[in-house]
Amino acid sequence: MAKSERLLTIKEFAARKRYSERTIRQMCKDGKIKAHKLTKKSRKWLIQESEIDKVVSAKVVPQKVTQVEIAPVISKRIEEHFDRMTAIADALLANGLDVVRRHPISGRTEGFEYSIVSGNSVEFLSHEQLGDRLRLNLGFTWVHGNDLDRDCFLSHLRAEYPELESKDILTIVTENPYKLIVALRVLARRKIFKGTCTVCEHW
């Protein structure tokens, strides 16, 4: 009578073939490896040892498996990166700029004034004052932040605000601070950033 063949667990089989356990389990489910379960309800697969020779050995983990295993790490890094970018957007909207509103100037056919409502009080700002406040936030954030995060933020902001391709951010703060504030609000609330920077361009 033929000698009974040894049965291997998923872990043992994976170690012999240098594949991940996840890959071997999926191959069992797909029928690429002949295997059976102890019972219908069991989650434990057993594989005949002879199946080892039917599976091509892998000196390195297949690319598909690598991507699956790396994906959570990349996802976490992207989340942390976007958190830092969101923090910068929030800082630039400090001192009431996150809720500032624009109104036509009464009695004039052009131009706007701006208001910040805080509780029962209302603060009115001119175009110049609004720009000054945004410039103050910008300077504080740049001084107390780091150069890499600043450069990354500007790279992502350009994707939302194309004028930054041809103009310095301080010029935009002077010319149209409210439009820039609106763009910053979108970034702060969405917490997802278009475009790429030197940190995330290869993710």
Side-chain angles (χ1 to χ4, degrees):
M1 183 167 60
K3 183 180 178 180
S4 60
E5 191 172 350
R6 183 187 174 195
L7 298 176
L8 304 176
T9 64
I10 292 283
K11 184 175 183 179
E12 291 171 331
F13 195 94
R16 294 274 291 273
K17 297 306 298 181
R18 301 181 67 182
Y19 274 90
S20 71
E21 292 179 37
R22 181 182 299 171
T23 299
I24 297 301
R25 185 175 289 105
Q26 189 61 49
M27 292 177 77
C28 291
K29 292 178 180 179
D30 295 342
K32 295 178 180 178
I33 296 176
K34 291 182 181 179
H36 68 275
K37 295 183 178 181
L38 293 174
T39 65
K40 289 184 178 180
K41 295 182 179 180
S42 175
R43 297 181 61 188
K44 186 175 182 180
W45 291 90
L46 293 177
I47 311 168
Q48 292 182 343
E49 192 172 22
S50 61
E51 288 295 302
I52 287 178
D53 296 331
K54 299 178 183 179
V55 178
V56 177
S57 296
K59 294 182 180 179
V60 295
V61 178
Q63 186 65 23
K64 183 177 180 181
V65 177
T66 302
Q67 291 173 346
V68 169
E69 293 176 348
I70 288 178
V73 176
I74 297 299
S75 178
K76 181 65 175 177
R77 289 179 182 173
I78 291 174
E79 182 181 350
E80 292 172 348
H81 177 61
F82 283 176
D83 283 346
R84 289 196 300 276
M85 299 298 99
T86 300
I88 292 176
D90 286 335
L92 296 178
L93 293 170
N95 300 314
L97 297 188
D98 57 329
V99 294
V100 68
R101 295 181 179 180
R102 183 173 69 175
H103 316 276
I105 298 176
S106 178
R108 290 175 55 177
T109 57
E110 59 181 27
F112 298 92
E113 64 180 356
Y114 307 88
S115 66
I116 297 174
V117 178
S118 178
N120 295 322
S121 65
V122 180
E123 179 183 9
F124 289 96
L125 301 172
S126 66
H127 174 94
E128 291 74 18
Q129 289 172 325
L130 182 67
D132 288 343
R133 187 163 300 191
L134 181 55
R135 193 177 294 104
L136 181 67
N137 289 350
L138 189 67
F140 181 84
T141 304
W142 269 202
V143 168
H144 293 277
N146 65 68
D147 292 344
L148 179 59
D149 281 349
R150 178 197 64 199
D151 293 343
C152 286
F153 183 80
L154 288 175
S155 293
H156 287 295
L157 185 58
R158 286 188 192 97
E160 304 281 348
Y161 203 101
E163 287 181 47
L164 275 170
E165 294 289 349
S166 58
K167 295 181 180 180
D168 179 83
I169 190 168
L170 291 177
T171 300
I172 291 174
V173 168
T174 300
E175 293 179 351
N176 201 335
Y178 188 74
K179 185 177 179 181
L180 180 57
I181 287 169
V182 171
L184 291 170
R185 284 176 181 169
V186 171
L187 295 177
R189 293 171 185 173
R190 191 178 65 201
K191 299 182 179 181
I192 297 174
F193 295 78
K194 295 180 181 178
T196 57
C197 65
T198 54
V199 170
C200 67
E201 63 183 346
H202 299 300
W203 292 346

